[in-house]
Amino acid sequence: MTINVRPARTAAEEAIAAALEASITAEAGQGRIPEVRRAARDAFLSHGLPSRRVEEWKYTDLRAAVRDFPNRAPAPGTVEEAEAAPLVPSLPNAGRILFVNGALSRAGSDFAALSEGVTALPLDAAIAAGDPLADRINALSPSRYDGPLALNTGFLGEGVALRVDAGVKAARPVHIAHAFPGVEAVAGFTRTVVVVGAGAEVTLVETFAGRDGVAYQSNHAVELVVGDGAIVNLVRIQEEGDAAFHFGTLMLELGREAKLNLFALAQGAALARYNVYGRFEGAGAHAGIRGATLARDRQHSDTTLVIDHAVAGGESRELFKTVLADESHGVFQGKIVVRRAAQKTDGRMMSQSLLLSDRAEMDNKPELEIFADDVQCGHGATAGALDRSMLFYLRSRGLPEKEAEMLLIQAFLGEAVEYVEDADLRDLLIERISGWLEKRAV
């Protein structure tokens, strides 16, 4: 006889389960979407929020951290849209799609400003119209259970479906902005589905920001299909409010000789987790996945990657830099999987951490799973304090201690930032990093 023992649900899990049931009843959807929502609900009811007993979540115990579940926000009005404006970075050359409190702001979005050959639809409209982009929803979902992703799928509806036609070189970036300007805690769930045609090229920018002191929950997922020979540059800037919970997921599929350049900056939220699930489906593809995390006070920031090389000749590069101050906690988990058919794979992963306080903590867990015999793969992780000899050298040249520290930290992070090819976006990232360092120096 087999006895299945499940822990009693927490108050937050009970509230989430009730909200999922209500959402599925109220949002009938069309096509396969109701089935997708129900499957996500059933998975959550079976597994709940992940705890440290789950290997992938051993450093980020959501079951203990998530104590309540706020209501989902209604569609934004003019007041909310006006309050969101200061939270959205200015990218004058980009076509903007704006979400306020997790709901699409049609007034704040400019779909017509997108480059020729780039088409965007509100996700609910794409689902209702039976657009082929809607068929991609959840097609890249990982095989293992992911609690935040299950919630995102269970509440599926808000979001955007984006198509870049084959051969198009998009002249303007697409800026997908998420802002939480309200004073009441709400939960927002958004999904972006992007299909980039063969030989196309596009730059995507995601930004996340919110009001400090508000315990809202932001949950966003991206499904990105990069066609044969296509190039995607993706920059992600996470600056949520200091009491927020942020959950982000990227599900990625690369075609033959496709190329992805990703940079993710994280410097907000009380608790943040960013998951990347990447799969090489075409020979000769390349992924450069890099990022920087800056945390202070008692912030907890987790980046977890699974890069799956399923075919031959793929190349992946992962480089993440982390700076931790006060009692903050950083986590990096990275796994490179090389399947038996993926000969000639070249995969390299590195996590480097700078601890500015004796009370800060960094957990690194790099992994390799290799089933092929003709590959080049490696991983590494370092953690340490500022170089005192370098600090002394700069101070001996007349720099005050805080300025010397800022210079060394900027140089440490700059190794990752320099991979961003777009000069305007690189400047924006440097500006954001400098702003964080200046606040710390005060």
Side-chain angles (χ1 to χ4, degrees), residues 43 64 79 87 94 100 123 136 174 177 186 209 224 253 338 369 418 429:
V79 173
L87 298 173
V100 178
L123 191 62
R136 300 297 314 186
V174 180
V186 295
L224 174 59
E253 180 181 287
V338 182
E369 287 188 6
E418 69 182 8
L429 291 167

Side-chain angles (χ1 to χ4, degrees), residues 36-257:
V36 169
R37 287 198 189 106
R38 283 193 293 271
R41 175 204 59 188
D42 293 344
F44 180 82
L45 294 178
S46 176
H47 297 280
L49 292 170
S51 70
R52 65 178 64 251
R53 293 174 180 267
V54 180
E55 180 64 23
E56 293 87 347
W57 294 85
K58 64 182 295 184
Y59 302 116
T60 303
D61 190 338
L62 285 194
R63 200 162 189 274
V66 179
R67 301 299 180 86
D68 53 24
F69 181 70
N71 294 325
R72 298 172 68 190
T78 54
V79 173
E80 291 84 2
E81 289 167 341
E83 291 175 339
L87 298 173
V88 179
S90 176
L91 295 173
N93 191 41
R96 189 174 74 177
I97 300 170
L98 175 64
F99 292 87
V100 178
N101 292 334
L104 178 65
S105 167
R106 284 169 167 77
S109 302
D110 192 355
F111 290 91
L114 301 179
S115 299
E116 184 177 352
V118 179
T119 305
L121 287 172
L123 191 62
D124 56 356
I127 293 171
D131 190 284
L133 286 172
D135 294 335
R136 300 297 314 186
I137 293 174
N138 231 42
L140 305 183
S141 183
S143 57
R144 294 186 66 84
Y145 174 73
D146 182 322
L149 181 57
L151 294 185
N152 186 281
T153 306
F155 291 115
L156 189 65
E158 287 289 349
V160 62
L162 187 69
R163 178 190 297 109
V164 183
D165 294 339
V168 167
K169 311 295 182 184
R172 309 181 69 185
V174 180
H175 180 194
I176 304 174
H178 301 261
F180 284 80
V183 296
E184 295 185 5
V186 295
F189 300 87
T190 53
R191 179 72 65 102
T192 298
V193 179
V194 185
V195 176
V196 181
E201 183 173 352
V202 67
T203 296
L204 306 174
V205 183
E206 292 183 289
T207 61
F208 304 84
R211 189 188 293 268
D212 286 340
V214 183
Y216 64 88
Q217 295 182 18
S218 172
N219 187 321
H220 178 63
V222 176
E223 296 182 80
L224 174 59
V225 179
V226 186
D228 294 348
I231 300 173
V232 174
N233 301 298
L234 173 58
V235 173
R236 187 178 199 273
I237 302 175
Q238 189 272 103
E239 300 174 301
E240 304 281 18
D242 59 10
F245 280 20
H246 174 90
F247 305 110
T249 306
L250 171 63
M251 295 165 280
L252 166 70
E253 180 181 287
L254 290 173
R256 179 174 52 82
E257 296 184 359

Side-chain angles (χ1 to χ4, degrees), residues 33 59 287 350:
I33 300 304
Y59 302 116
M350 174 60 74

